Amino acid sequence: MHGKLFNLWDKVHTGLWLVPSAMVLLAVLLRWAAYQVDMVFSDEEALRTWWLHSGSGDDARNLLSTLVAALITMASVMFSITMVVLTLAATQYGSRLVRTYMAEPRTQAALGTFVMTIVYCLLVLRTVEKDMPSAAVPHVSVSLGLGLAFACILVLLFFLHAVARSIIAETVIRRVSGDLENSVRRMLPAAEAEPARDAALPEDFDARAGVVTADNEGYVQSIDYESLLELAANHRVLIRFDYRAGEFMCRGGWLAFVYPGDDLNGEIEKGVRENVLIGDRRTPAQDLEFSIRHLVDIALRALSPAINDPNTAMAVVDRLRGALAQALDKRLPTTIRHDSGGILRIVGDDTGFDGIFDAAFHQIRQAAATHPAVVIHMLGAVYRLAEHVRTADQYHALLRHAELIAAAGLSRAEEPRDRADIDGAFA
C-alpha cells in the first residue's frame, strides 16, 4: 500500500497541473473573502484611501479587462518559456530529466500565480456592471485584483531568473543528485542490527512450484512485501520473485512462483497481482537505480561527441560519489520475509552493492574510456568511496570497478603520460 501511495504522489507532484489547480480554488476563496469585506467596507471616506480603487463601474471594468488581457499574454509567454526549457533539458541532459523540471515547485507556483490571478479577475469582472455607481463598486475586490497583477509581474521576474539558472549544468546535477540522496535516505535502513538473510528454498521447489503470470505489461513500480507476507502466511505457501522494482514485465510473464503449486488458487493469484504494481514508467518508489540512471544520463550526454564536455561528466561523478558514500554507510533492504513462526514465506531478488555500482559506473566508464581525465577522476572517486566501506562485499565491488575503470582507460589511452597517470591513480 505504501508503494502505491508513493507512486500516486510521484505521478501527481511531477505534473504541472496540481499547484495551478489548487490556486484556482484559492482564487475562488479570495473572491469570496474580498466580497465579504466589500459588504462591510462601505465608508465613503475610507474608500478615498490612495491605494484603494475608488472609480465608477466603467472604470473598474476597463481596469479588470486590461489586467485580464495583459495577464493572459504574460501567462502565454511563461508557458512558452517553460516549454522551451523542457525542450532544452530533453536535448541537453536527456528526456527523462523533464520529470525533474516538471516537479520543480517554483515553476508550478509561478504558473499557478498567473492562473489564480486571471481566474480571480474574471470572477470580479462578472460582478461589475458598466453603469454601476461608485458606491456600489466592489472596490476592495478590484484593488486586490490590481495587487495580484503587480505580484504576477514580480513572479515573472523571479521565474525568468530561476529558469536562467535551471539550465546551468551544475544546477541540474545538484537537483538530480538531491533526488538520489533523498531516495538513499528513504529506501536504505540504518546499518545497525543487520538481519540474517537465510533464504534456503526447499529442494523440490522448482519441481513443485506453480506460476502466477502477469495480466498486464509495463515496468514493475513497487512490490508490497508486507501484504504478500500476510497472504502467504494465511495460505501457508512460499512465494518467490525473480525480479525487483524497475524491471520490465511482459503480459503473461512469470510474475511469481508459489510453493507448493498444488495450493495455488485464484485468491493467491489475485493477491499477488494486486500487490505487484505495474505501470507505464519506472518510479523511485523502490527503484534506487532510477535516480542513479538520471545522473548517469547527464554524464553520457556530456561525453557524447556532439557535446564533448568532460567537466560536466566529472561533476556527475562527484555527485554520485556523495550519494554512494551515504549508501555505503547504510544496509540494503532485504526482500526475505518470515512469518511469526519463523517459516520462510517470501523470497525476492535483493539489490546488492554490485548492482548499485554497476548502475553508477558501467556506462560512464564505457563512454569515458577515451577521456583520460574522466577515467582518472573516476578512480579518485572510487578511492575516496573506500573511506566508507564497512563490509567485504562493498570492498570487492569497489575494487572490481576500479580494475574495470583502469583497464578501460589504459586500453584507449594513446599517450604514455596518460597511461602513467592512470596507473598511478589505480595504484
mmCIF file of all heavy atoms in Angstrom, residues 58-98:
data_model
loop_
_atom_site.group_PDB
_atom_site.id
_atom_site.type_symbol
_atom_site.label_atom_id
_atom_site.label_comp_id
_atom_site.label_asym_id
_atom_site.label_seq_id
_atom_site.Cartn_x
_atom_site.Cartn_y
_atom_site.Cartn_z
ATOM 1 N N ASP A 58 -17.661 51.667 -14.744
ATOM 2 C CA ASP A 58 -16.994 51.655 -16.049
ATOM 3 C C ASP A 58 -15.479 51.633 -15.884
ATOM 4 O O ASP A 58 -14.776 50.913 -16.603
ATOM 5 C CB ASP A 58 -17.440 52.878 -16.847
ATOM 6 C CG ASP A 58 -17.021 52.786 -18.314
ATOM 7 O OD1 ASP A 58 -17.055 51.671 -18.866
ATOM 8 O OD2 ASP A 58 -16.649 53.815 -18.888
ATOM 9 N N ASP A 59 -14.977 52.426 -14.920
ATOM 10 C CA ASP A 59 -13.532 52.432 -14.653
ATOM 11 C C ASP A 59 -13.058 51.048 -14.183
ATOM 12 O O ASP A 59 -11.995 50.565 -14.605
ATOM 13 C CB ASP A 59 -13.198 53.482 -13.595
ATOM 14 C CG ASP A 59 -13.488 54.893 -14.068
ATOM 15 O OD1 ASP A 59 -13.433 55.116 -15.284
ATOM 16 O OD2 ASP A 59 -13.774 55.761 -13.212
ATOM 17 N N ALA A 60 -13.822 50.443 -13.304
ATOM 18 C CA ALA A 60 -13.438 49.130 -12.773
ATOM 19 C C ALA A 60 -13.427 48.075 -13.872
ATOM 20 O O ALA A 60 -12.522 47.240 -13.945
ATOM 21 C CB ALA A 60 -14.387 48.722 -11.644
ATOM 22 N N ARG A 61 -14.428 48.086 -14.760
ATOM 23 C CA ARG A 61 -14.481 47.111 -15.848
ATOM 24 C C ARG A 61 -13.302 47.289 -16.803
ATOM 25 O O ARG A 61 -12.696 46.312 -17.247
ATOM 26 C CB ARG A 61 -15.798 47.232 -16.610
ATOM 27 C CG ARG A 61 -17.006 46.687 -15.871
ATOM 28 C CD ARG A 61 -18.230 46.652 -16.769
ATOM 29 N NE ARG A 61 -18.014 45.733 -17.893
ATOM 30 C CZ ARG A 61 -18.241 44.420 -17.833
ATOM 31 N NH1 ARG A 61 -18.664 43.864 -16.706
ATOM 32 N NH2 ARG A 61 -18.038 43.662 -18.897
ATOM 33 N N ASN A 62 -12.991 48.546 -17.113
ATOM 34 C CA ASN A 62 -11.850 48.795 -18.003
ATOM 35 C C ASN A 62 -10.545 48.301 -17.373
ATOM 36 O O ASN A 62 -9.697 47.705 -18.055
ATOM 37 C CB ASN A 62 -11.750 50.278 -18.329
ATOM 38 C CG ASN A 62 -12.878 50.752 -19.219
ATOM 39 O OD1 ASN A 62 -13.467 49.967 -19.962
ATOM 40 N ND2 ASN A 62 -13.199 52.037 -19.146
ATOM 41 N N LEU A 63 -10.397 48.565 -16.080
ATOM 42 C CA LEU A 63 -9.176 48.133 -15.389
ATOM 43 C C LEU A 63 -9.069 46.610 -15.371
ATOM 44 O O LEU A 63 -8.021 46.041 -15.706
ATOM 45 C CB LEU A 63 -9.161 48.688 -13.968
ATOM 46 C CG LEU A 63 -7.987 48.234 -13.074
ATOM 47 C CD1 LEU A 63 -6.658 48.659 -13.685
ATOM 48 C CD2 LEU A 63 -8.144 48.782 -11.656
ATOM 49 N N LEU A 64 -10.138 45.947 -14.995
ATOM 50 C CA LEU A 64 -10.110 44.484 -14.912
ATOM 51 C C LEU A 64 -9.927 43.852 -16.278
ATOM 52 O O LEU A 64 -9.194 42.855 -16.424
ATOM 53 C CB LEU A 64 -11.394 43.978 -14.256
ATOM 54 C CG LEU A 64 -11.560 44.306 -12.762
ATOM 55 C CD1 LEU A 64 -12.954 43.928 -12.286
ATOM 56 C CD2 LEU A 64 -10.503 43.586 -11.928
ATOM 57 N N SER A 65 -10.573 44.404 -17.300
ATOM 58 C CA SER A 65 -10.422 43.862 -18.651
ATOM 59 C C SER A 65 -8.980 43.996 -19.133
ATOM 60 O O SER A 65 -8.424 43.064 -19.742
ATOM 61 C CB SER A 65 -11.364 44.586 -19.618
ATOM 62 O OG SER A 65 -12.713 44.431 -19.234
ATOM 63 N N THR A 66 -8.381 45.149 -18.851
ATOM 64 C CA THR A 66 -6.980 45.350 -19.244
ATOM 65 C C THR A 66 -6.063 44.384 -18.515
ATOM 66 O O THR A 66 -5.125 43.811 -19.105
ATOM 67 C CB THR A 66 -6.560 46.799 -18.961
ATOM 68 O OG1 THR A 66 -7.437 47.694 -19.652
ATOM 69 C CG2 THR A 66 -5.130 47.045 -19.396
ATOM 70 N N LEU A 67 -6.326 44.183 -17.222
ATOM 71 C CA LEU A 67 -5.494 43.267 -16.442
ATOM 72 C C LEU A 67 -5.603 41.841 -16.973
ATOM 73 O O LEU A 67 -4.596 41.136 -17.112
ATOM 74 C CB LEU A 67 -5.913 43.306 -14.963
ATOM 75 C CG LEU A 67 -5.568 44.572 -14.176
ATOM 76 C CD1 LEU A 67 -6.092 44.465 -12.755
ATOM 77 C CD2 LEU A 67 -4.062 44.811 -14.175
ATOM 78 N N VAL A 68 -6.829 41.403 -17.283
ATOM 79 C CA VAL A 68 -7.012 40.036 -17.778
ATOM 80 C C VAL A 68 -6.277 39.845 -19.097
ATOM 81 O O VAL A 68 -5.577 38.832 -19.300
ATOM 82 C CB VAL A 68 -8.511 39.723 -17.924
ATOM 83 C CG1 VAL A 68 -8.702 38.412 -18.673
ATOM 84 C CG2 VAL A 68 -9.178 39.633 -16.566
ATOM 85 N N ALA A 69 -6.409 40.802 -20.010
ATOM 86 C CA ALA A 69 -5.739 40.680 -21.307
ATOM 87 C C ALA A 69 -4.220 40.646 -21.142
ATOM 88 O O ALA A 69 -3.521 39.828 -21.770
ATOM 89 C CB ALA A 69 -6.142 41.835 -22.213
ATOM 90 N N ALA A 70 -3.690 41.530 -20.284
ATOM 91 C CA ALA A 70 -2.240 41.579 -20.074
ATOM 92 C C ALA A 70 -1.742 40.310 -19.392
ATOM 93 O O ALA A 70 -0.680 39.763 -19.754
ATOM 94 C CB ALA A 70 -1.878 42.804 -19.249
ATOM 95 N N LEU A 71 -2.486 39.811 -18.414
ATOM 96 C CA LEU A 71 -2.050 38.617 -17.686
ATOM 97 C C LEU A 71 -2.086 37.377 -18.564
ATOM 98 O O LEU A 71 -1.218 36.505 -18.459
ATOM 99 C CB LEU A 71 -2.930 38.420 -16.452
ATOM 100 C CG LEU A 71 -2.729 39.435 -15.324
ATOM 101 C CD1 LEU A 71 -3.799 39.270 -14.262
ATOM 102 C CD2 LEU A 71 -1.347 39.290 -14.705
ATOM 103 N N ILE A 72 -3.094 37.296 -19.430
ATOM 104 C CA ILE A 72 -3.146 36.148 -20.344
ATOM 105 C C ILE A 72 -1.949 36.176 -21.287
ATOM 106 O O ILE A 72 -1.343 35.130 -21.582
ATOM 107 C CB ILE A 72 -4.468 36.157 -21.124
ATOM 108 C CG1 ILE A 72 -5.639 35.829 -20.185
ATOM 109 C CG2 ILE A 72 -4.420 35.173 -22.283
ATOM 110 C CD1 ILE A 72 -6.994 35.872 -20.857
ATOM 111 N N THR A 73 -1.570 37.364 -21.732
ATOM 112 C CA THR A 73 -0.397 37.472 -22.607
ATOM 113 C C THR A 73 0.868 37.045 -21.876
ATOM 114 O O THR A 73 1.686 36.274 -22.404
ATOM 115 C CB THR A 73 -0.249 38.915 -23.114
ATOM 116 O OG1 THR A 73 -1.431 39.286 -23.830
ATOM 117 C CG2 THR A 73 0.957 39.038 -24.036
ATOM 118 N N MET A 74 1.053 37.548 -20.641
ATOM 119 C CA MET A 74 2.242 37.181 -19.866
ATOM 120 C C MET A 74 2.242 35.695 -19.519
ATOM 121 O O MET A 74 3.294 35.042 -19.527
ATOM 122 C CB MET A 74 2.316 38.024 -18.600
ATOM 123 C CG MET A 74 2.704 39.470 -18.839
ATOM 124 S SD MET A 74 3.138 40.345 -17.309
ATOM 125 C CE MET A 74 1.554 40.400 -16.496
ATOM 126 N N ALA A 75 1.055 35.153 -19.219
ATOM 127 C CA ALA A 75 0.980 33.722 -18.930
ATOM 128 C C ALA A 75 1.358 32.896 -20.153
ATOM 129 O O ALA A 75 2.021 31.852 -20.036
ATOM 130 C CB ALA A 75 -0.423 33.362 -18.450
ATOM 131 N N SER A 76 0.943 33.350 -21.331
ATOM 132 C CA SER A 76 1.322 32.645 -22.562
ATOM 133 C C SER A 76 2.829 32.654 -22.755
ATOM 134 O O SER A 76 3.429 31.644 -23.147
ATOM 135 C CB SER A 76 0.632 33.293 -23.766
ATOM 136 O OG SER A 76 -0.772 33.253 -23.633
ATOM 137 N N VAL A 77 3.447 33.806 -22.447
ATOM 138 C CA VAL A 77 4.910 33.890 -22.539
ATOM 139 C C VAL A 77 5.563 32.933 -21.555
ATOM 140 O O VAL A 77 6.535 32.225 -21.879
ATOM 141 C CB VAL A 77 5.372 35.338 -22.287
ATOM 142 C CG1 VAL A 77 6.891 35.401 -22.191
ATOM 143 C CG2 VAL A 77 4.874 36.256 -23.396
ATOM 144 N N MET A 78 5.004 32.866 -20.339
ATOM 145 C CA MET A 78 5.578 31.979 -19.316
ATOM 146 C C MET A 78 5.447 30.521 -19.728
ATOM 147 O O MET A 78 6.397 29.734 -19.578
ATOM 148 C CB MET A 78 4.899 32.233 -17.977
ATOM 149 C CG MET A 78 5.418 31.354 -16.857
ATOM 150 S SD MET A 78 4.698 31.763 -15.263
ATOM 151 C CE MET A 78 5.469 33.328 -14.954
ATOM 152 N N PHE A 79 4.297 30.136 -20.232
ATOM 153 C CA PHE A 79 4.121 28.755 -20.687
ATOM 154 C C PHE A 79 5.062 28.442 -21.851
ATOM 155 O O PHE A 79 5.623 27.346 -21.939
ATOM 156 C CB PHE A 79 2.669 28.518 -21.101
ATOM 157 C CG PHE A 79 1.749 28.216 -19.959
ATOM 158 C CD1 PHE A 79 0.916 29.185 -19.439
ATOM 159 C CD2 PHE A 79 1.727 26.949 -19.393
ATOM 160 C CE1 PHE A 79 0.064 28.911 -18.379
ATOM 161 C CE2 PHE A 79 0.882 26.657 -18.328
ATOM 162 C CZ PHE A 79 0.042 27.646 -17.825
ATOM 163 N N SER A 80 5.257 29.403 -22.738
ATOM 164 C CA SER A 80 6.164 29.198 -23.871
ATOM 165 C C SER A 80 7.596 29.012 -23.378
ATOM 166 O O SER A 80 8.322 28.133 -23.858
ATOM 167 C CB SER A 80 6.087 30.387 -24.834
ATOM 168 O OG SER A 80 4.786 30.524 -25.368
ATOM 169 N N ILE A 81 8.001 29.842 -22.407
ATOM 170 C CA ILE A 81 9.347 29.708 -21.844
ATOM 171 C C ILE A 81 9.513 28.339 -21.194
ATOM 172 O O ILE A 81 10.555 27.678 -21.333
ATOM 173 C CB ILE A 81 9.615 30.833 -20.835
ATOM 174 C CG1 ILE A 81 9.675 32.191 -21.544
ATOM 175 C CG2 ILE A 81 10.909 30.583 -20.071
ATOM 176 C CD1 ILE A 81 9.783 33.368 -20.603
ATOM 177 N N THR A 82 8.484 27.899 -20.484
ATOM 178 C CA THR A 82 8.553 26.592 -19.829
ATOM 179 C C THR A 82 8.734 25.473 -20.852
ATOM 180 O O THR A 82 9.558 24.565 -20.655
ATOM 181 C CB THR A 82 7.270 26.348 -19.014
ATOM 182 O OG1 THR A 82 7.107 27.400 -18.055
ATOM 183 C CG2 THR A 82 7.343 25.011 -18.296
ATOM 184 N N MET A 83 7.994 25.534 -21.955
ATOM 185 C CA MET A 83 8.124 24.509 -22.984
ATOM 186 C C MET A 83 9.516 24.538 -23.623
ATOM 187 O O MET A 83 10.093 23.493 -23.922
ATOM 188 C CB MET A 83 7.051 24.702 -24.055
ATOM 189 C CG MET A 83 5.621 24.450 -23.585
ATOM 190 S SD MET A 83 5.382 22.762 -22.949
ATOM 191 C CE MET A 83 5.350 23.086 -21.173
ATOM 192 N N VAL A 84 10.060 25.753 -23.820
ATOM 193 C CA VAL A 84 11.402 25.858 -24.396
ATOM 194 C C VAL A 84 12.431 25.246 -23.455
ATOM 195 O O VAL A 84 13.347 24.515 -23.881
ATOM 196 C CB VAL A 84 11.732 27.329 -24.698
ATOM 197 C CG1 VAL A 84 13.214 27.483 -25.062
ATOM 198 C CG2 VAL A 84 10.864 27.857 -25.827
ATOM 199 N N VAL A 85 12.299 25.534 -22.163
ATOM 200 C CA VAL A 85 13.240 24.974 -21.184
ATOM 201 C C VAL A 85 13.145 23.453 -21.147
ATOM 202 O O VAL A 85 14.169 22.752 -21.073
ATOM 203 C CB VAL A 85 12.974 25.579 -19.789
ATOM 204 C CG1 VAL A 85 13.769 24.845 -18.724
ATOM 205 C CG2 VAL A 85 13.337 27.053 -19.776
ATOM 206 N N LEU A 86 11.922 22.917 -21.178
ATOM 207 C CA LEU A 86 11.761 21.466 -21.189
ATOM 208 C C LEU A 86 12.392 20.849 -22.434
ATOM 209 O O LEU A 86 13.008 19.775 -22.363
ATOM 210 C CB LEU A 86 10.279 21.106 -21.117
ATOM 211 C CG LEU A 86 9.548 21.453 -19.817
ATOM 212 C CD1 LEU A 86 8.079 21.067 -19.917
ATOM 213 C CD2 LEU A 86 10.191 20.768 -18.628
ATOM 214 N N THR A 87 12.256 21.534 -23.562
ATOM 215 C CA THR A 87 12.875 21.034 -24.792
ATOM 216 C C THR A 87 14.393 21.051 -24.688
ATOM 217 O O THR A 87 15.073 20.086 -25.078
ATOM 218 C CB THR A 87 12.423 21.881 -25.988
ATOM 219 O OG1 THR A 87 11.004 21.860 -26.081
ATOM 220 C CG2 THR A 87 13.017 21.344 -27.286
ATOM 221 N N LEU A 88 14.947 22.144 -24.161
ATOM 222 C CA LEU A 88 16.399 22.225 -23.988
ATOM 223 C C LEU A 88 16.899 21.167 -23.019
ATOM 224 O O LEU A 88 17.951 20.552 -23.233
ATOM 225 C CB LEU A 88 16.784 23.616 -23.485
ATOM 226 C CG LEU A 88 16.647 24.770 -24.492
ATOM 227 C CD1 LEU A 88 16.941 26.098 -23.811
ATOM 228 C CD2 LEU A 88 17.602 24.569 -25.661
ATOM 229 N N ALA A 89 16.156 20.961 -21.933
ATOM 230 C CA ALA A 89 16.572 19.946 -20.960
ATOM 231 C C ALA A 89 16.575 18.561 -21.579
ATOM 232 O O ALA A 89 17.495 17.764 -21.350
ATOM 233 C CB ALA A 89 15.637 19.987 -19.746
ATOM 234 N N ALA A 90 15.533 18.259 -22.366
ATOM 235 C CA ALA A 90 15.467 16.945 -23.011
ATOM 236 C C ALA A 90 16.604 16.757 -24.000
ATOM 237 O O ALA A 90 17.162 15.660 -24.137
ATOM 238 C CB ALA A 90 14.117 16.778 -23.709
ATOM 239 N N THR A 91 16.973 17.837 -24.702
ATOM 240 C CA THR A 91 18.046 17.738 -25.700
ATOM 241 C C THR A 91 19.419 17.670 -25.049
ATOM 242 O O THR A 91 20.271 16.867 -25.443
ATOM 243 C CB THR A 91 17.984 18.941 -26.659
ATOM 244 O OG1 THR A 91 16.685 18.986 -27.262
ATOM 245 C CG2 THR A 91 19.042 18.827 -27.741
ATOM 246 N N GLN A 92 19.637 18.512 -24.040
ATOM 247 C CA GLN A 92 20.961 18.634 -23.446
ATOM 248 C C GLN A 92 21.260 17.546 -22.423
ATOM 249 O O GLN A 92 22.369 17.028 -22.362
ATOM 250 C CB GLN A 92 21.082 20.005 -22.764
ATOM 251 C CG GLN A 92 22.461 20.305 -22.190
ATOM 252 C CD GLN A 92 23.457 20.705 -23.260
ATOM 253 O OE1 GLN A 92 23.072 20.974 -24.395
ATOM 254 N NE2 GLN A 92 24.729 20.745 -22.906
ATOM 255 N N TYR A 93 20.261 17.182 -21.625
ATOM 256 C CA TYR A 93 20.516 16.285 -20.499
ATOM 257 C C TYR A 93 19.754 14.968 -20.574
ATOM 258 O O TYR A 93 19.977 14.086 -19.747
ATOM 259 C CB TYR A 93 20.160 16.991 -19.178
ATOM 260 C CG TYR A 93 20.865 18.303 -18.998
ATOM 261 C CD1 TYR A 93 20.151 19.496 -18.994
ATOM 262 C CD2 TYR A 93 22.243 18.361 -18.839
ATOM 263 C CE1 TYR A 93 20.792 20.711 -18.834
ATOM 264 C CE2 TYR A 93 22.894 19.570 -18.681
ATOM 265 C CZ TYR A 93 22.166 20.740 -18.682
ATOM 266 O OH TYR A 93 22.804 21.946 -18.527
ATOM 267 N N GLY A 94 18.844 14.820 -21.516
ATOM 268 C CA GLY A 94 18.074 13.577 -21.632
ATOM 269 C C GLY A 94 16.613 13.810 -21.326
ATOM 270 O O GLY A 94 16.262 14.591 -20.441
ATOM 271 N N SER A 95 15.763 13.113 -22.052
ATOM 272 C CA SER A 95 14.319 13.322 -21.920
ATOM 273 C C SER A 95 13.793 12.913 -20.552
ATOM 274 O O SER A 95 12.773 13.441 -20.092
ATOM 275 C CB SER A 95 13.582 12.535 -23.008
ATOM 276 O OG SER A 95 13.878 11.150 -22.909
ATOM 277 N N ARG A 96 14.472 11.994 -19.868
ATOM 278 C CA ARG A 96 13.977 11.567 -18.563
ATOM 279 C C ARG A 96 14.086 12.675 -17.521
ATOM 280 O O ARG A 96 13.406 12.632 -16.493
ATOM 281 C CB ARG A 96 14.742 10.315 -18.105
ATOM 282 C CG ARG A 96 14.261 9.036 -18.776
ATOM 283 C CD ARG A 96 14.983 7.823 -18.241
ATOM 284 N NE ARG A 96 16.336 7.743 -18.751
ATOM 285 C CZ ARG A 96 16.687 7.092 -19.848
ATOM 286 N NH1 ARG A 96 15.766 6.477 -20.539
ATOM 287 N NH2 ARG A 96 17.931 7.058 -20.257
ATOM 288 N N LEU A 97 14.937 13.673 -17.768
ATOM 289 C CA LEU A 97 15.071 14.764 -16.805
ATOM 290 C C LEU A 97 13.934 15.770 -16.899
ATOM 291 O O LEU A 97 13.834 16.663 -16.056
ATOM 292 C CB LEU A 97 16.411 15.487 -17.011
ATOM 293 C CG LEU A 97 17.646 14.690 -16.605
ATOM 294 C CD1 LEU A 97 18.886 15.541 -16.779
ATOM 295 C CD2 LEU A 97 17.550 14.239 -15.168
ATOM 296 N N VAL A 98 13.084 15.656 -17.911
ATOM 297 C CA VAL A 98 11.906 16.526 -17.984
ATOM 298 C C VAL A 98 11.060 16.350 -16.729
ATOM 299 O O VAL A 98 10.462 17.301 -16.217
ATOM 300 C CB VAL A 98 11.096 16.213 -19.249
ATOM 301 C CG1 VAL A 98 9.770 16.956 -19.250
ATOM 302 C CG2 VAL A 98 11.906 16.599 -20.494
#
